[in-house]
């Protein structure tokens, strides 16, 4: 005799996160947005502190090396270091504010997309409208990059200034079901506020790299007055400290931008998984995105609108493909086979 009790619900895979299964309400996106705001703030603070710390080391070194006026007996406290740290910290905050206000426009300018209306691309705009309704979001602007490569991206720091861009090759190479999957993925980035995060963090990571490059340039200027006196027989203490700081600065200048990039890439990979799952919520169809990912990965190639500054924004990396055996640390995107395996598991729920 059959058991009259209802079957227990199948457990949802942990990678989907809380309340991320198919058929989940819009409150899940609000939770994802809140989490993204918190993570964005935390990571921006960390990256700003890294940049300010590099600035302090640079100012301290230049003060100890005699290139800036020093305060006698200051020890580890350096007025030059404090001033440099404050200047770079303020610059980081300013750059973040600029990226929040203009980041989306800067990305669109870099990719070279052309805005289109429904009369220009009726199927594309219609699919974007469908996904915007499914996400409960304002209709984003739609752009087409006139290139035969197959790729897509989303940008904008809020739903009010969001935009989705696709290449001409993607429009030619995908059917409507596959196009829905890709647009659903990009709309997922917008709904989860990933686009704000990726734009602002990308700018801040760039600032860390800029400060590191500044440090390396200062190292090429040659020794300051303190180091010259030390070689002449005086100032051994300050010269020795300057040498130690020089070594620390060189190490920090090399390691800091790499560490910032690794953090950015790690978070970017997790957001790709979440956007894939969100696309299935919007389309109720995992097969379309699976097929699209297979086609996009096979046809991925560099094009004029893609660069190292924007590679993490695209649905697949246009500059480099990462297989399952590739180093996870240096990958901007998860391996396509891993994404497909998770989508297949999601489709069976």
């Amino acid at each position: 005799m059959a058991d009259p009790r209802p079957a227990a619900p199948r457990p949802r895979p942990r990678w989907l996160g809380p309340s991320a299964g198919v058929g989940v309400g819009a409150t899940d996106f609000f939770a994802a947005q809140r989490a993204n705001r918190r993570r964005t703030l935390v990571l921006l603070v960390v990256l700003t502190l890294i940049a300010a710390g590099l600035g302090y080391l640079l100012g301290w070194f230049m003060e100890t090396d005699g290139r800036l006026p020093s305060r006698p007996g200051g020890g580890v406290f350096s007025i030059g270091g404090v001033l440099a740290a404050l200047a770079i910290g303020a610059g980081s905050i300013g750059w973040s504010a600029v990226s929040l206000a203009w980041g989306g426009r800067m990305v669109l300018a870099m990719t070279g997309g052309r805005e289109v209306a429904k009369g220009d691309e009726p199927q594309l705009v219609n699919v974007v409208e469908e996904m915007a309704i499914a996400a409960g979001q304002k209709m984003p602007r739609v752009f087409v990059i006139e290139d035969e490569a197959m790729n897509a991206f989303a940008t904008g720091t809020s739903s009010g200034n969001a935009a989705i861009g696709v290449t001409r090759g993607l429009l030619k190479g995908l059917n409507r079901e596959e196009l829905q999957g890709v647009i659903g993925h990009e709309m997922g980035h917008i709904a989860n506020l990933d686009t704000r995060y990726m734009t602002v963090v990308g700018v801040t990571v760039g600032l860390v790299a800029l400060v590191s490059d500044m440090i390396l340039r200062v190292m090429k200027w040659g020794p300051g007055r303190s180091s010259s006196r030390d070689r002449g027989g005086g100032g051994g203490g300050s010269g020795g400290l300057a040498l130690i700081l020089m070594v620390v600065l060189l190490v920090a200048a090399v390691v800091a931008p790499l560490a910032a990039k690794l953090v950015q890439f790690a978070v970017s990979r997790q957001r790709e998984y979440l956007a894939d799952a969100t696309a299935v919520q919007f389309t109720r169809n995992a097969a379309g995105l699976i097929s699209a990912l297979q086609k996009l990965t096979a046809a991925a190639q560099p094009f004029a609108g893609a660069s190292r500054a924007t590679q993490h924004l695209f649905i697949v990396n246009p500059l480099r493909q990462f297989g399952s055996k590739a180093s996870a640390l240096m990958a901007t995107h998860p391996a396509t086979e891993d994404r497909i395996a998770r989508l297949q598991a999601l489709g069976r729920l």
Side-chain angles (χ1 to χ4, degrees):
M1 180 176 179
D3 190 345
R5 293 175 297 179
R10 295 176 64 182
R12 182 168 54 254
R14 292 182 62 186
W15 66 271
L16 289 177
S19 302
V22 175
V24 178
T27 53
D28 297 313
F29 302 120
F30 297 147
Q33 290 175 359
R34 288 193 298 270
N36 275 347
R37 287 191 183 98
R38 290 193 300 269
R39 291 167 183 165
T40 300
L41 179 60
V42 170
L43 191 51
L44 283 176
V45 169
V46 170
L47 292 175
T48 299
L49 289 176
I50 291 175
L54 288 173
Y56 184 86
L57 287 174
L58 178 60
W60 187 15
F61 167 73
M62 294 181 69
E63 186 178 276
T64 305
D65 199 36
R67 306 183 198 201
L68 292 176
S70 60
R71 184 171 66 89
V76 297
F77 178 77
S78 164
I79 294 178
V82 170
L83 293 176
L86 290 175
I88 292 175
S92 177
I93 295 172
W95 269 111
S96 297
V98 168
S99 65
L100 281 171
W102 303 95
R105 297 182 186 182
M106 290 189 288
V107 170
L108 290 171
M110 285 188 288
T111 55
R114 174 179 61 88
E115 188 169 7
V116 297
K118 182 172 286 190
D120 304 316
E121 300 289 343
Q123 178 173 271
L124 171 62
V125 175
N126 183 253
V127 169
V128 175
E129 287 176 339
E130 292 174 355
M131 294 299 100
I133 292 171
Q137 298 289 312
K138 180 181 177 181
M139 173 73 180
R141 298 162 68 192
V142 182
F143 289 76
V144 173
I145 302 171
E146 296 296 341
D147 196 283
E148 294 304 311
M150 294 177 64
N151 226 312
F153 71 97
T155 188
T157 54
S158 70
S159 59
N161 62 17
I164 290 177
V166 302
T167 60
R168 178 63 62 187
L170 182 137
L171 294 178
K172 290 180 179 180
L174 300 186
N175 60 38
R176 196 179 196 283
E177 181 185 41
E178 294 163 342
L179 182 61
Q180 275 188 322
V182 170
I183 299 301
H185 173 98
E186 301 305 337
M187 189 62 69
H189 281 310
I190 294 171
N192 297 328
L193 288 183
D194 290 339
T195 50
R196 170 190 290 182
Y197 176 91
M198 290 188 288
T199 299
V200 177
V201 170
V203 170
T204 311
V205 169
L207 178 65
V208 173
L210 181 64
V211 174
S212 298
D213 183 64
M214 184 189 307
I215 290 173
L216 295 176
R217 289 179 182 274
V218 169
M219 296 296 103
K220 293 180 181 179
W221 291 351
R225 294 188 302 271
S226 175
S227 295
S228 299
R229 288 194 305 267
D230 184 47
R231 283 198 302 269
S238 60
L241 179 58
L243 181 60
I244 294 173
L245 285 174
M246 180 184 292
V247 174
V248 172
L249 269 175
L250 288 173
V251 173
V254 173
V255 172
L258 177 60
K261 271 291 184 185
L262 293 180
V263 172
Q264 180 189 20
F265 289 166
V267 177
S268 177
R269 291 193 298 273
Q270 292 305 313
R271 288 168 192 270
E272 292 302 317
Y273 285 133
L274 178 59
D276 286 345
T278 306
V280 177
Q281 287 183 273
F282 294 159
T283 64
R284 301 297 192 268
N285 176 21
L289 182 55
I290 290 173
S291 178
L293 286 174
Q294 291 170 333
K295 287 185 177 181
L296 266 64
T297 301
Q301 58 181 311
F303 57 97
S307 66
R308 287 188 297 177
T310 59
Q311 61 182 335
H312 63 287
L313 298 176
F314 291 91
I315 186 170
V316 296
N317 191 309
L319 305 181
R320 181 182 175 188
Q321 290 300 304
F322 301 96
S324 58
K325 295 183 180 179
S327 171
L329 287 176
M330 299 304 297
T332 58
H333 292 63
T336 299
E337 48 264 47
D338 292 341
R339 295 171 70 177
I340 289 175
R342 296 187 181 202
L343 285 168
Q344 289 171 336
L346 181 59
R348 291 193 292 268
L349 291 178

